[in-house]
Amino acid sequence: MSETSGEDRDLPEALGAVARAGFDYDDGRGIDFEPYDAFESAEETTDWIRSWTGNEELDGDAFRVFGQDGSGGLAALWCVREGRPLDAQPVVFLGSEGERGVIAGSLSDFLWVLADGVGPMEVVLFGALEGEGRANAGLTALAERYATTPRRPAREIVAEAATEFPDFSDAVDALCR
């Protein structure tokens, strides 16, 4: 594992597997998520964060964008744990209309959220309530292969992440002009 730096743009193997998994929106009954097979470039991330916040001074180094929903909301690793590898950073969602939230405390936990049939946008807009998602056998197998944390229901993972990072929304607000 490598430490996170502003230059670190190597997609973790687990996110590569997520990108290859494919997601079925299933007319609103599935997961609205389009993972990328590479992180957005530093330039694209900087352009996006400046546009999203209205703050032309930002550089986007705090985020590694790895997917989007159908409306253009972005899923990203939030590089807030200094000196820790990318897979130990929290997963966040920043919606096209200003919605935002922490999805999971790590990439490993994010895999379990997906396995429960809940995507980043669904967590932020609807929460990860019991019975909301539809467990996905393929994503469960992927999580079983790559996750380093124990399996827990998505609602527990999301609640743990919200408790650990209660100031995420305030931190994002502070970026906005």
Side-chain angles (χ1 to χ4, degrees):
M1 286 186 205
S2 63
E3 291 187 359
T4 302
S5 73
E7 302 300 313
D8 191 353
R9 296 277 167 186
D10 294 331
L11 197 69
E13 186 178 348
L15 280 179
V18 168
R20 292 185 299 276
F23 289 81
D24 184 3
Y25 182 58
D26 193 22
D27 294 322
R29 294 182 301 271
I31 298 175
D32 183 5
F33 184 51
E34 302 166 19
Y36 304 156
D37 59 6
F39 285 126
E40 271 192 349
S41 71
E43 294 79 16
E44 290 171 316
T45 303
T46 294
D47 289 346
W48 159 74
I49 196 70
R50 288 176 176 176
S51 176
W52 200 84
T53 63
N55 185 343
E56 291 296 316
E57 297 175 15
L58 296 177
D59 63 15
D61 279 350
F63 300 98
R64 299 295 180 278
V65 177
F66 65 85
Q68 68 180 42
D69 70 356
S71 72
L74 300 178
L77 296 174
W78 180 34
C79 301
V80 68
R81 292 180 171 139
E82 194 171 326
R84 299 287 309 273
L86 288 175
D87 58 4
Q89 303 298 333
V91 176
V92 298
F93 179 78
L94 297 144
S96 61
E97 301 299 320
E99 314 88 348
R100 80 284 301 257
V102 179
I103 308 307
S106 68
L107 176 55
S108 178
D109 282 345
F110 177 65
L111 298 176
W112 292 121
V113 170
L114 293 176
D116 262 8
V118 185
M121 183 269 302
E122 290 86 7
V123 167
V124 171
L125 294 184
F126 310 116
L129 305 174
E130 188 171 5
E132 287 297 313
R134 294 185 313 170
N136 181 299
L139 293 172
T140 298
L142 190 149
E144 288 170 344
R145 177 173 181 195
Y146 291 101
T148 58
T149 54
R151 183 174 192 165
R152 295 173 325 287
R155 70 182 183 291
E156 288 182 25
I157 292 169
V158 172
E160 286 173 12
T163 298
E164 184 175 0
F165 300 100
D167 61 345
F168 175 68
S169 189
D170 292 338
V172 171
D173 284 344
L175 299 175
C176 298
R177 288 199 171 245

